[in-house]
């Protein structure tokens, strides 16, 4: 009898021991949400991705020299951020300094080379976000701040606000000793010619239909925003975006770029995203945050989340454009629904990829 009791006790003990051993599938910490391509594994200790705008970028309209010029500038910019990350610097610094190079180049629609408004002014938007703290800074419609991404960073770091616009933002830039320039600094002949062409097209229109205002040809000449996302060695994500907006914009129009969650978003729990495209649609589709939310709430991989938003949601509304994104494990995505997107990425091994036209 004694033996039988001991056996029963041993049986229950073993049963309990079984329960004490944590089942990895039941431990929330270990639950790997849907990640069809092993997206939960760290693929890069650090990495950086940039874009120089999406749109109707066709090989047939590009000379070899122009193409080489774009590629060289993309490489120069991404190398700056890569070095910062490699030396253990923060993703925020990498994003800001990389974007500075693109802003200073007349090739892109940000900083020098920004597109013109209908009133022949340049009004610049930018934003930056820290994935670790979810702090963010954004500036809209500035005309004299040389590098709007620096202003966005200063707003995030040195003010209690997230977004500042127009003259107020410029006053803050002065207080922060940021570099100011005469509005003419942003002038480029190329962008002025584009504005003239677009205005001419608009004049030729006989309809007052609002959607016709943005017909395909006019629309395509408007893009060229720049953006950067990065993951640093400490696992911190950051995203930044800077733009002149869309050619011929009016009435103090502000696009998606300075709107956190639309053209820019970063969250260490998910990913960092920078967008480029038709801003009105990126605002309405909350593009950047939607990608993060699909990962956070639905467990999608970065690739699947970006695809859902860029290939389905945005086109279904009638918009177009693309995103660059990186997740907390260093997975990189560069997705767009336009003919091309200037883009480049560098992983922790220093491998560089540069692209212009569709995949
Ligand atoms: N998204 C920008 C805007 O609408 C334009 C662009 O990305 O080229 O202001």
């Amino acid at each position: 009898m004694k033996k039988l009791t001991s056996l029963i006790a041993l049986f229950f003990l073993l049963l309990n021991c079984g329960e004490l051993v944590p089942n990895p599938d039941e431990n929330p910490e270990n639950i790997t949400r849907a990640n069809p391509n092993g997206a939960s594994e760290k693929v890069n200790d650090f990495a950086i991705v940039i874009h120089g705008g999406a749109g109707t970028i066709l090989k047939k309209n590009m000379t070899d020299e122009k193409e080489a010029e774009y590629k060289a500038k993309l490489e120069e910019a991404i190398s700056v951020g890569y070095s910062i990350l490699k030396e253990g610097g923060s993703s925020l610094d990498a994003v800001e300094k990389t974007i500075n190079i693109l802003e200073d180049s007349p090739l892109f629609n940000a900083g020098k080379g920004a597109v013109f408004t209908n009133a022949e002014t340049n009004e610049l938007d930018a934003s930056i976000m820290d994935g670790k703290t979810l702090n963010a800074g954004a500036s809209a419609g500035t005309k004299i701040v040389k590098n709007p991404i620096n202003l966005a960073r200063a707003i995030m770091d040195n003010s209690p606000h997230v977004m500042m616009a127009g003259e107020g933002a410029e006053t803050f830039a002065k207080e922060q000793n940021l570099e100011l320039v005469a509005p003419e600094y942003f002038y480029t002949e190329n962008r002025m010619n584009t504005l003239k062409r677009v205005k001419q097209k608009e004049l030729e229109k006989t309809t007052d239909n609002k959607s016709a205002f943005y017909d395909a040809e006019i629309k395509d000449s408007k893009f060229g925003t720049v953006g950067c996302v990065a993951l640093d060695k400490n696992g911190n994500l950051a995203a930044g975006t800077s733009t002149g907006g869309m050619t011929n914009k009016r009435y103090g129009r502000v696009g998606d770029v300075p709107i956190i969650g639309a053209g820019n978003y970063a969250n260490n729990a998910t990913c960092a995203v920078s967008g480029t495209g038709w801003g009105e649609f990126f605002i309405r589709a909350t593009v950047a945050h939607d990608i993060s939310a699909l990962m956070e709430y639905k467990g999608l991989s970065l690739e699947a989340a970006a695809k859902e938003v860029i290939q389905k949601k945005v086109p279904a509304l009638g918009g177009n454009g693309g995103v660059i994104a990186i997740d907390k494990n260093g997975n990189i995505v560069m997705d767009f629904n336009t003919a091309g997107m200037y883009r480049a990425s560098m992983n922790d091994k220093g491998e560089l990829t540069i692209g212009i036209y569709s995949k």
Side-chain angles (χ1 to χ4, degrees):
M1 185 62 192
K2 223 176 172 187
K3 220 174 175 183
L4 187 68
T5 317
S6 310
L7 267 175
I8 290 169
L10 188 69
F11 173 73
F12 278 107
L13 190 74
L14 283 173
L15 209 70
N16 272 335
C17 277
E19 277 178 15
L20 286 174
V21 176
N23 176 350
D25 292 337
E26 286 168 9
N27 181 354
E29 293 290 318
N30 293 339
I31 290 177
T32 302
R33 299 226 194 141
N35 58 37
N37 32 26
S40 73
E41 282 155 35
K42 197 109 184 156
V43 294
N44 280 301
D45 275 341
F46 66 98
I48 181 163
V49 197
I50 60 174
H51 72 74
T56 308
I57 309 163
L58 298 167
K59 181 116 182 117
K60 66 174 175 91
N61 298 334
M62 185 82 84
T63 62
D64 288 349
E65 295 75 49
K66 250 297 160 275
E67 194 177 301
E69 221 183 310
Y70 274 106
K71 285 185 172 170
K73 194 47 82 175
L74 290 169
E75 184 169 352
E76 180 193 337
I78 203 164
S79 303
V80 167
Y82 176 81
S83 301
I84 293 173
L85 296 172
K86 195 171 178 216
E87 281 154 27
S90 74
S91 50
L92 278 171
D93 286 346
V95 162
E96 185 182 1
K97 300 285 180 259
T98 299
I99 289 181
N100 284 162
I101 305 285
L102 299 169
E103 284 179 332
D104 292 347
S105 163
L107 290 174
F108 304 99
N109 171 19
K112 175 89 186 166
V115 298
F116 282 94
T117 67
N118 180 265
E120 302 191 354
T121 57
N122 306 100
E123 298 179 9
L124 287 73
D125 301 335
S127 71
I128 194 161
M129 186 158 183
D130 179 358
K132 183 183 174 188
T133 58
L134 302 187
N135 281 339
S139 67
T142 59
K143 296 178 185 167
I144 56 166
V145 179
K146 181 170 175 267
N147 293 106
I149 197 71
N150 300 358
L151 174 55
R153 178 87 190 258
I155 290 169
M156 177 175 80
D157 288 347
N158 307 329
S159 91
H161 306 302
V162 169
M163 194 195 289
M164 295 184 195
E167 283 176 17
E170 290 167 350
T171 303
F172 181 71
K174 271 178 222 158
E175 280 175 23
Q176 291 291 308
N177 294 318
L178 297 182
E179 192 171 348
L180 304 179
V181 289
E184 298 74 47
Y185 163 81
F186 297 106
Y187 179 95
T188 52
E189 205 185 328
N190 186 23
R191 298 296 189 197
M192 182 50 86
N193 290 341
T194 306
L195 177 70
K196 284 183 184 152
R197 245 188 359 254
V198 169
K199 279 187 166 179
Q200 185 56 36
K201 286 231 159 66
E202 215 176 66
L203 266 181
E204 286 162 15
K205 283 196 160 303
T206 50
T207 170
D208 61 358
N209 174 353
K210 190 174 165 239
S211 67
F213 179 77
Y214 286 115
D215 77 351
E217 226 181 325
I218 294 174
K219 188 178 79 184
D220 284 342
S221 61
K222 296 184 182 226
F223 299 153
T225 293
V226 307
C228 178
V229 294
L231 170 71
D232 65 29
K233 286 180 177 174
N234 291 318
N236 292 321
L237 290 165
T241 313
S242 182
T243 190
M246 295 177 87
T247 302
N248 205 25
K249 64 183 182 181
R250 300 171 194 207
Y251 326 115
R253 181 261 190 192
V254 173
D256 58 311
V257 168
I259 297 178
I260 300 304
N264 205 53
Y265 191 74
N267 184 343
N268 275 7
T270 53
C271 61
V273 181
S274 169
T276 172
W278 194 344
E280 278 67 13
F281 291 91
F282 274 54
I283 294 172
R284 291 164 57 206
T286 55
V287 166
H289 183 262
D290 236 42
I291 293 170
S292 169
L294 284 170
M295 295 177 75
E296 188 171 359
Y297 305 135
K298 274 192 128 185
L300 261 58
S301 69
L302 178 66
E303 193 184 354
K307 201 168 170 202
E308 182 67 31
V309 178
I310 292 302
Q311 304 301 341
K312 290 189 193 160
K313 190 175 179 182
V314 171
L317 282 173
N320 60 351
V323 289
I324 51 161
I326 184 165
D327 71 13
K328 58 181 178 174
N329 294 313
N331 291 290
I332 288 168
V333 162
M334 302 183 266
D335 202 0
F336 51 98
N337 58 38
T338 48
M341 180 169 81
Y342 297 106
R343 59 197 186 275
S345 70
M346 258 177 122
N347 63 17
D348 59 3
K349 283 151 224 82
E351 289 160 351
L352 171 71
T353 65
I354 300 187
I356 297 180
Y357 313 106
S358 61
K359 303 142 248 193

